[in-house]
Amino acid sequence: MKNNAILIIIFSLLMVVSVSANDIYVSPKGSDANNGSKDAPFLTVEKAKLTVRELIQKGLTEDVHVYFMKGTYIINETIVFGLQDSPSEHTVTYEAYAKDKVIISSGQSVKGWKKADKIAGMPQQAVGNVWVADMPENLTTFRTLYDGAVRLTRAKSAEFQMPRNNKIRRADSQ
């Protein structure tokens, strides 16, 4: 009788700590060539999303959890979820792993900053105080610039008016 009680306790503990077959892990240190397990996580949100779609197509028997491990995930395109990402019988949850701090960002590093020479139309007091850099090729527009975690003030003057693009709908004004 005592052995049966011990076996039941051990079995119960194993059930509590067992990992679901539908747990998928993503880490900034991972690789999309990995299998998405905790020990071999994926690198990108997109790979995790495609893996979830495959699981849905095969027919889910349980809920799916996608866990993002601590770090920053840089994305180049908007993450879009559609009907193919949502099974009818089970749930798919994307969440931070164990309260890890997770950042999903479309921020891009701008490198090669240098002080600008005199530029046509530049006021004399600005000479030697203006920094320039080439933007990354895949960056067509930006609205905010940071130095590390500090948001920088945009250059402005009484004569400068930001050109307005009426094709872009905004929730608030610039």
Side-chain angles (χ1 to χ4, degrees):
M1 188 69 146
K2 185 177 180 182
N3 288 342
N4 287 343
I6 292 172
L7 286 175
I8 290 172
I9 292 171
I10 291 172
F11 181 73
S12 298
L13 288 173
L14 288 174
M15 292 297 288
V16 170
V17 297
S18 70
V19 176
S20 168
N22 287 341
D23 286 350
I24 298 169
Y25 294 84
V26 186
S27 169
K29 298 175 185 169
S31 168
D32 283 347
N34 288 345
N35 63 13
S37 67
K38 186 176 179 184
D39 294 328
F42 293 134
L43 173 65
T44 64
V45 178
E46 192 63 27
K47 178 62 176 177
K49 186 173 84 166
L50 292 173
T51 302
V52 169
R53 283 184 183 176
E54 290 173 13
L55 290 171
I56 292 169
Q57 288 173 352
K58 290 177 183 174
L60 289 178
T61 58
E62 59 186 334
D63 296 343
V64 178
H65 290 269
V66 178
Y67 294 106
F68 292 96
M69 300 173 108
K70 181 181 179 178
T72 301
Y73 298 81
I74 302 296
I75 58 171
N76 294 320
E77 295 180 9
T78 303
I79 302 168
V80 179
F81 294 96
L83 292 176
Q84 67 272 33
D85 301 305
S86 179
S88 57
E89 298 295 319
H90 296 280
T91 61
V92 177
T93 305
Y94 289 80
E95 60 187 307
Y97 175 73
K99 299 183 182 179
D100 282 353
K101 182 176 179 181
V102 174
I103 299 169
I104 298 176
S105 173
S106 62
Q108 303 248 346
S109 290
V110 179
K111 299 186 185 309
W113 289 95
K114 61 184 180 208
K115 283 193 177 185
D117 296 328
K118 175 89 171 142
I119 300 172
M122 180 187 289
Q124 187 58 41
Q125 71 246 29
V127 175
N129 295 311
V130 175
W131 289 80
V132 295
D134 292 328
M135 292 292 109
E137 288 184 27
N138 63 338
L139 187 64
T140 56
T141 186
F142 70 94
R143 291 190 169 52
T144 309
L145 192 62
Y146 290 84
D147 181 5
V150 178
R151 185 176 180 180
L152 299 176
T153 303
R154 291 184 69 128
K156 57 189 172 218
S157 69
E159 296 84 33
F160 179 77
Q161 289 294 319
M162 177 78 172
R164 182 146 181 99
N165 184 346
N166 291 325
K167 294 179 185 174
I168 299 173
R169 295 179 57 192
R170 296 179 177 86
D172 58 4
S173 67
Q174 283 184 321

